[in-house]
């Protein structure tokens, strides 16, 4: 079955960096778009970044553009989110997800990893 397992979250001071990882299994990883989303307390889940199947195409939310970088390693079935210049408003649970239905919706999600940025 499809599994997505995030790791790398933690507590960091504003201005610091974290690198999130997502290990994927149970599907042909290189065939599908991968995305990162986040959900802060009391707020709806929001899109952070996505990466195309071969890693050449990326998109970012305006709020993270220039600070976050999404990447993938198809040989290792891994997707990453490098987060630099972190701000307190980046505090959230971060989820990786994939769209195996190829319809623009993300139908499989990981359990999430907490990122807390202190001011």
């Amino acid at each position: 079955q499809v599994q997505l397992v995030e790791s790398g979250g933690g507590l960091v001071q504003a201005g610091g960096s974290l690198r999130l990882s997502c290990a994927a299994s149970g599907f042909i990883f290189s065939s599908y778009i991968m995305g990162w989303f986040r959900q802060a307390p009391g707020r709806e889940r929001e899109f952070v970044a996505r990466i195309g199947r071969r890693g050449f195409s990326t998109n970012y939310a305006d709020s993270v553009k220039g600070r976050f970088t999404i990447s993938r390693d198809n040989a290792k079935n891994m997707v990453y989110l490098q987060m630099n210049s972190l701000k307190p408003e980046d505090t959230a649970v971060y989820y990786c997800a994939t769209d195996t239905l190829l319809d623009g919706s993300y139908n499989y999600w990981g359990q999430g990893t907490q990122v807390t940025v202190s001011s």
Side-chain angles (χ1 to χ4, degrees):
Q1 70 277 22
V2 174
Q3 279 196 311
L4 299 171
V5 180
E6 302 95 335
S7 61
L11 174 64
V12 63
Q13 288 189 329
S17 297
L18 281 175
R19 187 194 195 205
L20 304 184
S21 300
C22 174
S25 61
F27 64 107
I28 303 173
F29 179 77
S30 59
S31 294
Y32 301 104
I33 291 167
M34 298 297 298
W36 284 98
F37 293 76
R38 67 186 182 186
Q39 187 167 20
R43 302 188 66 175
E44 291 189 356
R45 186 167 55 197
E46 64 175 0
F47 167 78
V48 173
R50 66 177 288 278
I51 188 166
R53 291 172 293 176
R54 293 188 295 168
F56 299 136
S57 171
T58 58
N59 298 95
Y60 298 91
D62 288 343
S63 58
V64 307
K65 203 170 293 184
R67 299 188 298 122
F68 290 11
T69 302
I70 188 171
S71 62
R72 67 190 295 162
D73 184 337
N74 285 348
K76 296 181 179 179
N77 287 7
M78 297 289 294
V79 61
Y80 307 99
L81 187 68
Q82 178 67 43
M83 307 186 295
N84 298 330
S85 302
L86 282 161
K87 305 175 181 180
E89 51 263 44
D90 294 318
T91 294
V93 178
Y94 283 72
Y95 301 89
C96 71
T98 188
D99 171 18
T100 64
L101 297 177
L102 303 177
D103 64 356
S105 66
Y106 288 82
N107 55 317
Y108 287 104
W109 296 81
Q111 83 289 348
T113 186
Q114 175 71 47
V115 172
T116 303
V117 184
S118 64
S119 57

